[in-house]
């Protein structure tokens, strides 16, 4: 008869244990899970990217409902267990569900510690442990304001970064003299604090909180030295404690956590504990790698094995975009220890290895962390490093003083070398899974091993392993044909257009051996864009290769009428322009006038045959097309900035208008929306646009790769510039890089993810010559692009397009 396995808690540790269990012995247990949260299992390591807007909840789900169904798991969501009856061998939840068990796993995790200062129960005082906490933070963050984070440990700093990305002002309060003092030495802490300051996060060290201020909700905090900091949210990130009360009430042995042996068994032979609630050999672990190691042991024990957990050596990585940090082991100073230090001030690199008896016992890496896994492996194994001591600090590729090819260095790693620290995946596991399951893609490896599926820092190593394992069979850029007319992908087509000097659609189709005579509705618009972009002075835009909205320069609506959006520079208008719009509305009996999210006016319900006349009247008032239909620049949204707003730091409206007048008319792979906010309060919503500018006292913070449609994503910070001229050059160069490298219909945020934000920063921010070259090419192309299509059509160009269909018939062009 199938035994009953009940699990209390549905975090990452029991999730991994079940994966191991189902792989070893599918069907051995009838599994029931009680989850206090009202959702499935998700990757808590990725809460910080969710808070910062870099990921959505759907991106971090580990096991969806279909997974539980496929494994016949009964999952009770929102069912917090309130009692364990060890005599009857049952558990009961607060909502009245009782389940019997043969084996019970307690995986209740940990509870955040809330400092019991006056005001700690006010609304707006939040812990940072689960998705509910993140959602509560995001609600408050939507109103901007200031967040105060108490605790500059790993979670506290990740919370601070995420809230800053959401547009809040952020102050971090820390009791100790340096931040992350448990993981970093003072030198690395200094570099990290400097980097966070540059991102606009204020940090106050040696500060003790006296009280949280407010009556109905949080209004700020008071420090012991009398300083008062106003704020709208207080995040407590000062530590955790094992959630062991349930086990204690059931009579199990509990110290700080639930006491377990090397098989993860509690003082009751039928009950096991796993995760942050468990205490093994006097240690409660709060990082995921040890939890996964112990989960594997428990899965083995539940299938009758005898595996033992002997504890873990842990390492730390910070999930803050653009900051590379690795820490492991013991880095405290002592008479019997030596250290090797490498500093590169210009590159912002700091490396320190702590040695004892020629063995690494501690490592701190900042700025360059690629060798973190190798140092960590040497430390865990207690490897004698005597023979490579002189070159040790330079990393694995320089063992013995001779630079090795990086691939050779990866090949030299032993099978038990840890590749993915987040998920505890070693080299041997990855290689055996690739060969055993015939995997050929990174997504396949992620799905079957979890390697690089969390923070992504190990992606390069995983890809190198794939290349070593598969040889020529591994193609990291496996081609998806752009359509059925060709075997070539978008990237190859773009490359060959330039390499072969192809300057017409027929030339492309002939030279690249198209399978069809004239292409299709997928490839013709793409080819037309690539040719316009590559040969702006030689290629004539092909009218028939545009989508319908681009052919008629208006957006078709569900009833067959069109919407007309005149361009309003930076969202600014005048009484004469508004009168002209009102006259057009009355003259053509336009049924709806709508203010758009891009700060313009949309005239909805215009008949196709009336479009030229509508444009003519608008043109007399000085309007040109707002190109709301375009795969090109649409709007530059602005706030009123320093001219009117008491918080404004720069002339955001003026800069927005300047950008829009400079860039209008340019075609891009997909629609392009910009915004300029006059201060970090971000009223123009610049941090969800394709390109955004946040004005600050010291200049202009350039953002890019945001999304606010079907995908929701906050922007990446490209860099800070001091002048409007620099801001314009950076924005234009970034746009040109995107124009030249992106695939047709690929939005900036998808292109940036594929190319890599660091590579974009390198080319646009760091390489001034390359940036200027991009800028100059854009300026050249604008000579041919800044032609108002409405004016052209009013003068008679393509006039047949606007005649009634009964007269000209219907042609099924590219839709």
């Amino acid at each position: 008869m199938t035994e009953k396995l009940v699990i209390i808690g549905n975090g990452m540790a029991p999730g991994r244990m079940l994966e191991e269990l189902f792989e070893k012995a599918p069907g051995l247990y009838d599994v029931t899970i009680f989850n206090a949260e009202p959702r499935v299992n998700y990757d808590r390591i990725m809460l910080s990217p969710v808070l910062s807007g870099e990921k959505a909840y759907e991106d971090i789900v580990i096991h969806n409902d279909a997974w539980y169904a496929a494994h016949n798991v009964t999952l009770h969501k929102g069912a917090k267990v309130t009692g364990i009856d060890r005599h009857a061998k049952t558990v009961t939840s607060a909502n009245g569900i009782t389940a019997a068990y043969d084996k019970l796993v307690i995986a209740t995790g940990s509870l955040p510690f809330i400092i019991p200062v006056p005001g700690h129960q006010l609304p707006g005082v939040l812990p940072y442990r689960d998705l509910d906490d993140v959602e509560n933070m995001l609600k408050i963050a939507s109103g901007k304001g200031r967040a105060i984070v108490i605790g500059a440990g790993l979670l506290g700093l990740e919370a601070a970064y995420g809230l800053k990305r959401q547009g809040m002002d952020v102050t971090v309060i820390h009791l100790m003299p340096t931040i992350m003092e448990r993981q970093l030495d003072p030198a690395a802490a200094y570099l990290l604090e400097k980097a966070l300051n540059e991102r606009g996060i204020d940090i106050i060290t040696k500060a003790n909180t006296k009280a949280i201020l407010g009556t109905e909700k949080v209004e700020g905090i008071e420090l012991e030295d009398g300083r008062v900091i106003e704020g709208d949210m207080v995040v407590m990130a000062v530590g955790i404690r094992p959630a062991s009360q349930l086990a204690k009430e059931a009579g199990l042995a509990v110290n700080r956590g639930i006491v377990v042996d090397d098989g993860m068994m509690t003082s009751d032979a039928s009950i096991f504990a796993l995760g942050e609630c468990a205490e093994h050999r006097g240690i409660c672990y709060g990082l995921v790698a040890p939890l996964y190691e112990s989960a594997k042991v428990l899965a083995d024990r539940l299938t009758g094995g005898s595996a033992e957990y002997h504890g873990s050596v842990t390492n730390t990585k910070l999930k803050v975009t653009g900051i590379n940090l690795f820490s492991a082991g013991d880095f405290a100073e002592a008479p019997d220890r030596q250290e090797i230090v490498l500093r590169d001030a210009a590159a912002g690199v700091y490396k320190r290895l702590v040695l004892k008896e020629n063995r690494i016992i501690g490592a701190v890496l900042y700025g360059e962390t690629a060798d973190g896994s190798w140092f960590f492996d040497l430390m865990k194994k207690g490897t004698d490093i005597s023979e490579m001591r002189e070159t040790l600090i330079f990393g694995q590729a320089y063992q013995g003083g001779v630079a090795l090819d990086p691939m050779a260095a990866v090949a030299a790693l032993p099978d038990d070398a840890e590749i993915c620290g987040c998920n505890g995946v070693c080299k041997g596991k990855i290689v055996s899974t690739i060969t055993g399951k015939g995997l050929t893609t990174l997504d396949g490896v992620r799905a079957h091993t979890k390697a690089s599926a969390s923070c992504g820092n190990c992606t390069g190593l995983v890809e190198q392993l794939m290349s070593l394992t598969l040889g020529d069979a591994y193609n990291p850029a496996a081609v998806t044909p752009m359509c059925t007319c060709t075997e070539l992908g978008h990237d190859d087509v773009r490359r060959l257009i330039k390499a072969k000097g192809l300057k017409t659609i027929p030339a492309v189709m002939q030279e690249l051996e198209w399978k069809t005579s004239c292409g299709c509705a997928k490839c013709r618009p793409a080819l037309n864009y690539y040719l316009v972009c590559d040969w702006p002075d030689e290629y004539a835009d092909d009218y028939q290769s545009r989508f319908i909205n681009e052919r008629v320069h208006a957006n078709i609506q569900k009833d067959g009428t069109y919407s007309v959006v005149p361009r309003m520079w930076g969202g600014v208008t005048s009484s004469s322009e508004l009168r002209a719009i009102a006259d057009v509305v009355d003259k053509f009996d336009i049924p709806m006038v709508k203010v758009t999210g891009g700060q313009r006016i949309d005239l909805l319900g215009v008949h196709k045959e009336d479009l030229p006349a509508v444009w003519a009247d608008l043109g007399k008032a000085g309007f040109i097309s707002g190109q709301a239909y375009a795969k090109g620049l649409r709007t530059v949204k602005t706030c009123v900035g320093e001219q009117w707003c008491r918080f404004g730091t720069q002339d955001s409206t003026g800069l927005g208008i300047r950008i829009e007048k400079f860039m209008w008319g340019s075609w891009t792979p997909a629609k392009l929306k910009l915004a300029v906010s006059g201060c970090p309060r971000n009223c123009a919503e610049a941090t969800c646009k394709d390109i955004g500018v946040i004005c600050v006292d010291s200049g202009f913070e350039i953002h890019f790769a945001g999304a606010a449609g079907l995908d929701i994503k906050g922007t990446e910070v490209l860099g800070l510039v001091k002048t409007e001229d620099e801001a314009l050059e950076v924005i234009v160069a970034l746009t040109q890089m995107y124009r030249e490298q992106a695939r047709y219909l690929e939005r900036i945020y998808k292109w940036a993810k594929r190319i890599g934000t660091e590579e974009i920063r390198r080319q646009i921010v760091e390489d001034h010559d390359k940036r200027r070259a991009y800028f100059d090419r854009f300026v050249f192309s604008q000579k041919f692009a800044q032609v108002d299509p409405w004016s052209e059509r009013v003068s008679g160009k393509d006039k047949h397009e606007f005649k009634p269909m009964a007269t000209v018939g219907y042609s099924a062009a590219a839709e």
Side-chain angles (χ1 to χ4, degrees):
M1 184 175 178
T2 304
E3 285 194 283
K4 297 181 184 298
L5 173 65
V6 173
I7 303 170
I8 304 174
N10 195 35
M12 297 174 70
R16 174 56 63 91
M17 185 272 292
L18 284 177
E19 289 175 352
E20 298 278 351
L21 180 64
F22 293 149
E23 185 175 336
K24 287 176 176 289
L28 181 62
Y29 288 98
D30 178 4
V31 180
T32 299
I33 301 174
F34 287 83
N35 189 16
E37 290 189 62
R39 53 183 66 90
V40 294
N41 183 18
Y42 59 90
D43 189 345
R44 292 168 191 268
I45 296 173
M46 291 290 103
L47 283 176
S48 295
V50 172
L51 179 60
S52 67
E54 294 165 297
K55 288 184 180 289
Y57 165 64
E58 292 75 17
D59 299 325
I60 68 170
V61 169
I62 296 176
H63 299 137
N64 58 20
D65 288 304
W67 185 87
Y68 295 101
H71 293 91
N72 298 313
V73 175
T74 301
L75 172 61
H76 298 297
K77 302 175 185 176
K80 181 179 179 180
V81 171
T82 54
I84 300 170
D85 187 333
R86 291 168 57 196
H87 178 73
K89 301 186 80 168
T90 62
V91 301
T92 302
S93 68
N95 54 352
I97 302 171
T98 297
Y101 67 83
D102 296 301
K103 300 282 175 59
L104 174 65
V105 176
I106 303 175
T108 46
S110 60
L111 300 172
F113 183 72
I114 303 297
I115 305 172
V117 295
H120 73 276
Q121 295 178 321
L122 282 169
V125 178
L126 301 171
Y128 183 31
R129 293 300 296 162
D130 59 29
L131 194 66
D132 290 332
D133 297 330
V134 171
E135 290 176 349
N136 288 332
M137 289 184 205
L138 290 174
K139 287 177 184 176
I140 300 175
S142 65
K144 309 310 177 187
R146 178 173 294 277
I148 301 166
V149 179
I150 301 177
L154 194 67
L155 281 179
L157 295 180
E158 290 180 1
Y161 171 74
L163 293 168
K164 182 64 180 178
R165 288 292 303 269
Q166 293 297 335
M168 298 193 81
D169 295 328
V170 179
T171 299
V172 178
I173 307 298
H174 195 54
L175 182 63
M176 304 303 289
T178 61
I179 63 176
M180 284 186 69
E181 72 283 350
R182 293 184 180 180
Q183 295 88 10
L184 301 181
D185 62 12
Y190 164 79
L191 289 171
L192 177 58
E193 184 172 344
K194 180 182 176 184
L196 293 170
N197 288 157
E198 290 171 351
R199 284 161 171 77
I201 297 171
D202 298 326
I203 298 176
I204 304 174
T205 56
K206 295 186 286 188
N208 195 16
T209 303
K210 180 179 180 181
I212 298 172
L213 307 177
T215 52
E216 301 297 321
K217 62 181 182 65
V218 167
E219 297 174 10
I221 67 166
E222 180 183 0
L223 301 180
E224 287 285 1
D225 62 11
R227 280 180 289 179
V228 172
I229 302 169
E230 294 182 354
D232 306 279
M233 177 198 315
V234 172
V235 178
M236 292 274 192
V238 293
I240 58 174
R241 51 189 174 84
S244 56
Q245 186 61 30
L246 184 67
K248 189 174 183 179
E249 292 173 354
L252 298 175
V254 173
N255 288 332
R256 183 164 177 262
I258 306 168
V259 177
V260 296
D261 64 11
D262 289 351
M264 307 310 294
M265 186 174 72
T266 70
S267 53
D268 183 324
S270 298
I271 302 177
F272 302 82
L274 183 65
E276 293 177 336
C277 66
E279 178 181 322
H280 174 262
R281 298 188 183 183
I283 300 175
C284 297
Y285 292 97
L287 297 173
V288 72
L291 309 188
Y292 280 171
E293 292 173 15
S294 55
K296 186 174 183 178
V297 168
L298 178 53
D300 181 77
R301 287 298 183 102
L302 289 173
T303 56
S306 57
E308 293 185 346
Y309 177 61
H310 296 144
S312 299
V313 180
T314 61
N315 65 74
T316 297
K317 295 175 183 176
L318 185 70
K319 288 173 287 300
V320 171
T321 302
I323 295 179
N324 296 315
L325 172 68
F326 176 92
S327 169
D330 181 359
F331 46 82
E333 295 182 7
D336 61 343
R337 301 176 180 185
Q338 304 86 43
E339 63 178 23
I340 306 174
V341 176
L342 171 67
R343 297 179 191 264
D344 185 340
V349 171
Y350 170 78
K351 299 182 180 182
R352 178 175 174 234
L353 299 176
V354 181
L355 309 178
K356 183 176 181 179
E357 297 175 355
N358 287 316
R359 287 167 174 78
I360 298 174
I361 62 169
V364 181
L365 311 178
Y366 183 93
E368 188 178 290
T369 59
D371 286 304
S373 295
W374 182 62
F375 289 137
F376 187 54
D377 188 61
L378 294 176
M379 184 174 68
K380 286 198 301 182
K381 293 177 178 175
T383 303
D384 189 324
I385 53 83
S386 302
E387 294 185 2
M388 53 181 160
R389 183 182 177 117
E390 294 301 315
T391 56
L392 182 66
I393 195 69
F394 300 113
Q396 185 184 9
Y398 288 88
Q399 292 182 62
V402 179
L404 297 178
D405 180 89
M407 294 291 283
V410 174
L413 288 172
D415 282 348
D416 61 351
E418 185 178 83
I419 300 297
C420 176
C422 292
N423 296 293
V425 187
C426 64
K427 175 185 173 181
K429 171 73 171 179
I430 296 170
V431 171
S432 64
T433 305
I434 290 170
T435 55
K437 296 187 179 293
L439 305 179
T440 59
T441 67
L442 179 62
D443 285 342
V445 172
R446 285 171 172 163
H448 288 89
T449 70
K450 299 292 190 287
S452 101
S454 293
C455 76
N457 286 338
C458 63
T459 299
L461 276 175
V462 174
E463 289 182 325
Q464 287 176 318
L465 278 178
M466 295 185 69
S467 182
L468 283 167
T469 306
L470 297 172
D472 293 339
Y474 175 56
N475 178 10
V479 174
T480 300
M482 61 189 297
C483 67
T484 57
C485 302
T486 179
E487 299 297 327
L488 298 172
H490 285 268
D491 298 339
D492 284 332
V493 170
R494 294 213 73 172
R495 176 177 56 81
L496 292 169
I497 284 173
K498 292 291 285 186
K500 292 177 174 287
L502 306 176
K503 298 181 180 179
T504 66
I505 290 179
V508 172
M509 293 182 175
Q510 178 64 29
E511 294 297 321
L512 303 188
E513 300 180 350
W514 240 241
K515 298 177 184 178
T516 56
S517 60
C518 298
C520 67
K522 287 186 70 175
C523 64
R524 285 191 70 93
L527 294 178
N528 186 57
Y529 168 73
Y530 296 150
L531 291 165
V532 165
C533 182
D534 290 340
W535 316 109
D537 56 334
E538 298 182 63
Y539 175 74
D541 183 25
D542 181 31
Y543 164 82
Q544 289 297 330
S545 295
R546 292 286 185 191
F547 291 99
I548 179 62
N549 289 345
E550 295 172 328
R551 291 206 308 273
V552 301
H553 305 284
N555 279 327
I556 194 168
Q557 305 298 304
K558 64 188 294 184
D559 63 354
T561 63
Y562 289 81
S563 81
V564 170
V565 182
R567 190 171 288 281
M568 291 180 173
W569 306 108
V572 175
T573 187
S574 65
S575 59
S576 60
E577 288 182 345
L578 293 173
R579 286 191 189 94
I581 290 174
D583 290 343
V584 167
V585 171
D586 292 341
K587 179 177 178 179
F588 294 94
D589 195 24
I590 296 174
M592 177 173 279
V593 181
K594 175 78 173 64
V595 176
T596 73
Q599 298 178 333
R600 302 187 299 187
I601 291 177
D602 193 356
L603 312 180
L604 292 136
V606 181
H607 294 285
K608 187 175 183 179
E609 59 269 23
D610 289 337
L611 286 172
V614 168
W615 296 337
D617 286 1
L618 291 172
K620 292 173 185 176
F623 286 112
I624 65 173
S625 171
Q627 295 181 300
Y629 48 81
K631 306 296 184 289
L633 178 68
R634 296 203 175 174
T635 64
V636 180
K637 188 174 182 178
T638 69
C639 69
V640 296
E642 66 175 356
Q643 183 179 3
W644 298 99
C645 178
R646 60 196 176 96
F647 299 113
T649 62
Q650 307 284 353
D651 179 13
S652 53
T653 305
L655 177 57
I657 292 172
R658 182 182 177 189
I659 292 169
E660 190 166 359
K661 287 188 174 182
F662 195 92
M663 295 179 64
W664 77 269
S666 59
W667 294 102
T668 50
K671 62 184 177 182
L672 188 68
K673 296 182 178 181
L674 280 69
V676 183
S677 288
C679 77
R681 287 168 176 79
N682 195 21
C683 293
E685 300 169 339
T687 53
C688 64
K689 295 293 189 284
D690 296 293
I691 302 175
V693 181
I694 300 292
C695 299
V696 294
D697 289 330
S698 57
F700 306 87
E701 191 175 76
I702 312 298
H703 292 242
F704 74 111
L710 291 174
D711 292 322
I712 306 295
K713 179 187 179 299
T715 50
E716 307 285 344
V717 179
L718 186 63
L720 179 72
V721 298
K722 295 182 179 180
T723 68
E724 277 196 6
D725 289 347
E726 289 179 283
L728 181 67
E729 182 175 297
V730 167
I731 290 166
V732 168
L734 172 63
T735 302
Q736 184 66 15
M737 182 180 178
Y738 165 60
R739 294 175 74 199
E740 294 178 3
Q741 297 185 9
R743 300 161 185 167
Y744 188 63
L745 302 184
E746 185 177 40
R747 293 291 297 275
I748 274 193
Y749 73 96
K750 293 183 178 179
W751 164 73
K753 182 177 181 180
R754 180 168 59 84
I755 298 296
T757 56
E758 290 305 317
E759 176 62 19
I760 296 169
R761 287 192 190 98
R762 186 187 69 77
Q763 293 197 34
I764 301 301
V765 177
E766 299 170 15
D767 191 333
H768 292 262
D769 292 338
K770 186 174 284 291
R771 179 171 83 200
R772 190 67 198 186
Y774 280 128
F775 178 84
D776 290 342
R777 288 199 293 274
F778 182 92
V779 171
F780 177 73
S781 71
Q782 286 296 81
K783 295 179 181 179
F784 314 97
Q786 285 194 324
V787 178
D788 177 30
W790 285 0
S791 177
E792 282 189 324
R793 271 60 187 179
V794 169
S795 66
K797 183 178 181 182
D798 300 324
K799 60 184 179 181
H800 63 279
E801 181 73 55
F802 306 99
K803 291 181 179 180
M805 289 174 61
T807 303
V808 299
Y810 177 72
S811 175
E815 295 293 338

